[in-house]
Each structure stands twice: as structure tokens, then as C-alpha cells.
Amino acid sequence: MIIESIDPATEQVQARYETLTDAELESRIAAAASAEQTHRSTSVETRVQWIKAAKRLLAEQEQRLAETISREMGKPIGAATLEIRKCMTVCDYYAENGPSLLLDRQVETNAHSSFVRYLPLGVVLAIMPWNFPFWQVFRFAIPALMAGNVVLLKHAENTLACSALMETIFHEAGVPSAGFQSLVITVEQTQSLLADARIRAATFTGSEQAGKAVAETSGRHLKKVVLELGGSDPFIVMPSADLERAVADATRGRLGNCGQSCIAAKRLIVHNDIYTEFRDALVASFESQSVGMPLEPGTDIGPMATEALRARLDEQVDETVARGAKALIGHHRLDRPGWFYPPTILEDIPTGSPAASEELFGPVASLFRANDFNDALRIANDTRFGLGSALFTRDANEIERAFNEIDAGATFINSITASDARLPFGGIRNSGYGRELAAEGMHEFMNLKTCWVA
């Protein structure tokens, strides 16, 4: 099977990739399984050196790597560069903290000695998305390798050049060739990997429907899996908030990466008393954003990653407007080559319409009015998702209530939601389960073994 890589800014084919045959895939799996015991016996110091070397290679190749991101999935070059730099932060965190996170945890019992030992699981399959093609992989692979696991990467079809570059980086950093492998495979072959007993666990980041399929197959084979799925994150703005900051962060949180982020600020919930002022300022802020070619330095918003994504977003917005919502800016796709969609703001959104009940994965902000803080919490939790959330306020009581009452894996105060290597990241409800990053992310793919000496 041939996979075509299409430049989202020009719609031109830029590369073609041939998927592995079943025999070739079997050879790759066998090599990974064979490397499992050797890999887990490598010293912690050796693993730290791998990670430090990977960071150095990222820094040395920053421009080339960022340009590859831009060409493959349309991210503006400035944002792509920041993504590469963020990957360096996860290298720093685990190079510094990884050794201590692997130490035995002593527990006082009536035994002579009792403790928890952290041991690798073995071969872990990572099924990764295109929207943050380097960061999504690095935030899993660095702690997984630090833990002593072997990594098989099945990347998105439209970011296979990024996948190949990461394989090269890890191998040049010292990771054995079987310890990190990039696989160009079909969906059917991916399902077969999930069923293979040599694959001990899997991690998946992507759509809700695909996540359910991964969970179903993994469940049938009693395989540990971490899922980071979609989101429809609430972004609440209360009267005591710094309005200028809230507008700036709403713009950044909704339009960053062309709105193609699970933790984007998708539903903007604004108190009635400041709604009009916030709305008008947001419209002006959206209007100031530059839509253009990803490799041009002044571009704020590039194209959407695929034609299908833009078509789906267009349908959702059209249906929401047809059901009574008002488009304050944007709405219609741009008449130019490439899969561009303009910054769009919707208000007066009807209950049950796509903008109210579905994830809009693109540069579209949905505005909602709240009568008071209780009403804002009600709207925030009126979703099947539960990934991130944000609240802009100076009220200490509102802050404490948000921490306790918003149903999400994270709540950020006076800031957009973001992942950070030092903190666990993940969701609840239909946004998935399990955690990435920090100690919790590393330990997800380890055997937390109880050890007892009488």
C-alpha cells in the first residue's frame, strides 16, 4: 500500500511511502521482542545519556525539524520551532528526575523489608497523531525509554517524515535500532499489533472513535493502554478577570495550531456582565490574526492538516448556523489553494447543535453566556468530554470551586491549558484515561512490583 504525503498549504503531493509487508512487520516485532531483555538491563546512567544526546540533536537540527512539521501538517514555522523546543524540556525533566523516579519506594510494614520496585513492561506500541507530531511522541517516548521499555511508533499517515526523523534522532542518540522503531503500517496491521502478545502495552492519542477501537482490541487481550482522546474544553471568564489577558489567552488558546488541539479553549463561557465587552474584544483579536503560508515568518494561522478535517469542520459550523447560531466572523472556507479555514466565532449557539455538543477541531470559537458562576459550571460540565479547563477570575472561592467541581483532568487558572513535563496530563470521561508525563506518566508503563522480605 502506498501512502501519499500532501502539503496542506498547496495540496501538492510531496512524498510517497510504502507500508511494510506482513513479513517485514513480523521481523520488526521479533527484533523488538528480542531486544526487550537487553534494553531493560541497560544502566540508568546509559538511558540518561540517550536522553541528553536526543536533546542535543533536537537543538542542532531545530530549523530542519520545524520546517518538516510545517510542510507535513501546516503548522506555522514559529509554532513548529516552539514545539521542538518543548521536546527539549521533556528531555531535561527525565534526564534530571528519571533516576530518582526509578528508585525503590520503601514502605513501613511488619516485614523485615518491604518496598515497591519499578520495572519496565517491555515492548510498548505508541499510536500517535499528527497535530503535535514531535511533542506527542517525545512526551511518551522519553519516559518510556527512561523506564527501560522498547518503543514501536505508529505515527499518523500525514507525518511520516517526522516519524522517520525521530527514529534517526533516537538511534544517533544511542538507543539500539530495535529499541525505537518507526513503523509505516496500515490500520489493519496496527490492530494486529494490539492483539500480539509480544506487545505488552499501548498508548494512543487521537479521536474518540479511534480510541474506542484501540481500547476494545486492547481489552480483549488484557493489554494495558493509555488513551488521550478528544476534548471540548471550557474557558470560563468571570467579572473579576483581567479582561485584556483573558481575550489574549482565549485567542491563543483557541487559534493555536489552527485550533487543532485536544486541549484548545473550545467553549468560551462568559459572565453576562462582561459578555459584550469580551465578545467585541475577541472579534477584534481574531480579525488581527494573519492567515498564510506556514513557512512565512508572519503567519499566525496556517492551513488545516487535511482536506477531510476542513470538510468536517465546515459541516459542523454550517449546521450550527442553520440551527440558529450567529457567525460573528469567518464561517466560510477561504477561496485559495490549500486547506485553509478562517478564524471563526459563533454565538447564540442552540442546545444540541454541533458547536454545543461535539468537538470542533479547527479555528472556531463557541461563545456561551453564563448568568453566574453556578451557571458557568453547569455549562462547563455539560459535555461528554473531560480533558482540560480554564477559569479567569480573581475570586478565591471561584478558584477553589473550579478545582473541585469542573469535571476535567486539569484546571488552569488565569492561563490556557497546557501540558508540562513536570505535571501529569490526561483526561476523564470520553477524553480517555491514564496519564502522561511526570512520575505518573512514567509509571503507567511499568510493573509496580511489591517486594517483601520476612
Side-chain angles (χ1 to χ4, degrees):
M1 175 180 171
I2 300 298
I3 297 173
E4 290 188 338
S5 171
I6 301 176
D7 186 332
T10 65
E11 303 182 44
Q12 300 299 308
V13 175
Q14 54 185 340
R16 291 180 173 85
Y17 302 89
E18 188 170 356
T19 57
L20 297 174
T21 65
D22 289 344
E24 289 170 333
L25 178 57
E26 168 57 32
S27 176
R28 297 289 197 97
I29 301 170
S34 177
E36 180 181 322
Q37 288 302 318
T38 302
H39 196 73
R40 69 189 290 144
S41 66
T42 56
S43 68
V44 171
E45 293 75 17
T46 296
R47 299 175 203 167
V48 168
Q49 291 308 308
W50 291 346
I51 292 172
K52 288 182 176 180
K55 180 197 173 179
R56 184 185 69 251
L57 291 165
L58 287 172
E60 291 172 354
Q61 301 176 37
E62 178 183 278
Q63 184 66 23
R64 174 193 177 201
L65 302 178
E67 288 178 358
T68 303
I69 293 173
S70 295
R71 289 193 177 96
E72 282 207 301
M73 54 73 62
K75 183 173 296 185
I77 188 64
T81 302
L82 291 176
E83 180 176 338
I84 298 301
R85 292 175 184 173
K86 188 168 186 177
C87 292
M88 298 180 205
T89 68
V90 80
C91 295
D92 286 337
Y93 176 81
Y94 285 104
E96 180 178 351
N97 297 284
S100 64
L101 297 177
L102 296 174
L103 293 175
D104 294 346
R105 179 166 63 85
Q106 301 295 325
V107 181
E108 288 290 333
T109 68
N110 60 339
H112 173 72
S113 174
S114 53
F115 55 91
V116 178
R117 177 156 292 174
Y118 300 97
L119 300 170
L121 289 182
V123 182
V124 184
L125 172 64
I127 307 170
M128 292 287 102
W130 48 265
N131 55 342
F132 292 89
F134 272 77
W135 171 244
Q136 296 280 173
V137 174
F138 265 75
R139 77 183 192 188
F140 158 73
I142 292 296
L145 292 169
M146 185 70 221
N149 291 307
V150 169
V151 173
L152 295 179
L153 171 62
K154 192 281 182 199
H155 218 321
E157 290 186 356
N158 56 328
T159 49
L160 293 176
C162 290
S163 186
L165 285 170
M166 282 182 279
E167 182 181 59
T168 299
I169 285 171
F170 281 116
H171 291 172
E172 290 182 355
V175 178
S177 59
F180 183 101
Q181 299 183 60
S182 169
L183 308 177
V184 181
I185 56 178
T186 65
V187 172
E188 292 74 22
Q189 288 174 316
T190 304
Q191 290 293 322
S192 73
L193 283 182
L194 290 169
D196 194 305
R198 292 168 293 182
I199 309 299
R200 302 302 176 89
T203 181
F204 171 83
T205 299
S207 71
E208 183 182 0
Q209 287 307 116
K212 288 179 179 178
V214 169
E216 181 181 359
T217 303
S218 299
R220 281 201 305 270
H221 298 277
L222 297 178
K223 191 156 299 184
K224 174 66 180 291
V225 64
V226 169
L227 301 177
E228 197 263 281
L229 309 180
S232 187
D233 287 9
F235 182 102
I236 301 171
V237 186
M238 297 302 290
S240 66
D242 178 336
L243 204 63
E244 183 177 349
R245 179 176 179 177
V247 169
D249 275 9
T251 303
R252 187 162 60 100
R254 177 63 278 199
L255 298 183
N257 201 27
C258 197
Q260 300 166 122
S261 170
C262 296
I263 53 171
K266 297 189 175 80
R267 294 178 298 133
L268 310 184
I269 304 164
V270 185
H271 192 284
N272 257 328
D273 291 352
I274 56 169
Y275 179 87
T276 300
E277 184 181 1
F278 178 89
R279 178 198 64 194
D280 294 347
L282 187 71
V283 169
S285 181
F286 271 43
E287 287 176 335
S288 71
Q289 300 299 297
S290 170
V291 178
M293 300 297 282
L295 291 174
E296 293 177 358
T299 295
D300 297 310
I301 302 172
M304 296 188 67
T306 70
E307 185 176 19
L309 282 165
R310 185 181 67 170
R312 174 59 180 154
L313 181 68
D314 209 18
E315 290 173 0
Q316 290 173 304
V317 173
D318 283 347
E319 183 180 342
T320 301
V321 171
R323 294 176 65 169
K326 179 181 179 183
L328 302 175
I329 180 178
H331 178 191
H332 298 295
R333 66 176 67 182
L334 300 176
D335 184 18
R336 59 181 291 177
W339 300 315
F340 292 89
Y341 196 89
T344 299
I345 300 174
L346 303 176
E347 70 171 352
D348 300 332
I349 296 165
T351 300
S353 65
S357 59
E358 300 173 6
E359 179 179 30
L360 269 58
F361 212 66
V364 179
S366 302
L367 279 173
F368 297 85
R369 296 175 185 264
N371 296 320
D372 52 30
F373 191 61
N374 287 332
D375 195 34
L377 289 176
R378 177 191 63 79
I379 298 169
N381 289 331
D382 186 21
T383 175
R384 66 181 184 273
F385 298 106
L387 191 53
S389 58
L391 168 65
F392 283 72
T393 183
R394 293 186 177 98
D395 187 302
N397 181 61
E398 291 174 351
I399 292 171
E400 188 62 22
R401 288 190 63 191
F403 286 147
N404 290 326
E405 298 179 40
I406 296 179
D407 292 330
T411 295
F412 281 60
I413 307 299
N414 299 322
S415 170
I416 61 171
T417 307
S419 55
D420 185 303
R422 298 164 292 187
L423 291 164
F425 178 81
I428 59 173
R429 295 181 173 184
N430 284 36
S431 290
Y433 47 75
R435 292 294 181 266
E436 296 178 292
L437 300 173
E440 293 82 355
M442 174 181 279
H443 293 160
E444 285 281 7
F445 295 107
M446 303 197 77
N447 173 14
L448 279 58
K449 188 174 186 178
T450 295
C451 299
W452 178 284
V453 181

